Amino acid sequence: MNMHVFPHFLRCLVAGASVWACTAYGQPAGTSFPAEHIALGAKLYADNCESCHGPRMKAPGGEVFDLRTFPADQRSRFVESVSNGKRNMPPWRSLLSQEEIGFLFAYVVAGERP
Ligand code: HEC
C-alpha cells in the first residue's frame, strides 16, 4: 500500500466500513453517489418499484425483499436481479435502461440510509 492511499484507508476503517470495502474502493461503499443520481433513482423507484417494495423501501414484509438491507458492495447482483427478475419479481430490462438501473442502485444503497 503506498503512502498516498494509507491515510484514506485508516479514515475508511474509522468510519466503520469493512476492510474489504476500504481496500476495494478506497472509500466506504455506498457513499460516493452524486445527489442527482440518487434523486433520479428515487423517482424511478416511486414509479416502478414502490408498489411491491413499499414507500421509501419500507416493505410491507412477507416475500418481498427488504431493499434497505441490500449490500452496497453487490452492484452486479443488483443489476442482474433487476434486469432479469428473480422468482416473483418481474424482469425490468425491457422497461429500464442500464443507466436507469444504475440510478436505482444509487437510491437503494444510499438514498434512505442514515
Ligand atoms: C411485482 C412486485 C415487484 C416489483 C414491482 C418490484 N419488485 Fe423487486 N422484488 C420482488 C420480490 C417478490 C422480490 C424477492 C425475490 C425473491 O424471491 O428472492 C424482489 C427482490 C428484489 C431485489 C433483491 C434481489 C436479490 O438479488 O436478492 C432487488 C434488488 C429488487 N427487488 C429491486 C427492485 C427494483 C429496483 C424494482 C423497481 C424497478 C423492483 N424491485 C420492483 C417484487 C417486486
Side-chain angles (χ1 to χ4, degrees):
M1 185 178 308
N2 69 40
M3 290 315 287
H4 179 72
V5 172
F6 191 62
H8 191 105
F9 179 75
L10 287 181
R11 276 202 304 280
C12 183
L13 287 181
V14 169
S18 70
V19 172
W20 186 85
C22 292
T23 40
Y25 293 115
Q27 58 186 321
T31 60
S32 59
F33 299 99
E36 63 268 33
H37 289 191
I38 295 173
L40 286 164
K43 171 87 170 70
L44 288 163
Y45 178 88
D47 291 345
N48 299 288
C49 320
E50 190 178 292
S51 55
C52 291
H53 288 280
R56 301 172 62 114
M57 296 187 274
K58 292 188 177 69
E63 295 292 299
V64 181
F65 190 95
D66 183 347
L67 290 177
R68 291 168 298 176
T69 67
F70 194 89
D73 59 3
Q74 294 186 15
R75 188 183 199 282
S76 56
R77 169 180 157 195
F78 184 90
V79 173
E80 155 76 23
S81 296
V82 174
S83 299
N84 300 325
K86 190 174 180 191
R87 284 180 283 204
N88 290 331
M89 179 163 74
W92 295 95
R93 66 182 174 282
S94 59
L95 298 167
L96 299 171
S97 69
Q98 287 298 300
E99 187 180 35
E100 288 173 321
I101 292 173
F103 297 152
L104 280 163
F105 181 70
Y107 172 67
V108 164
V109 302
E112 304 287 356
R113 296 184 193 188

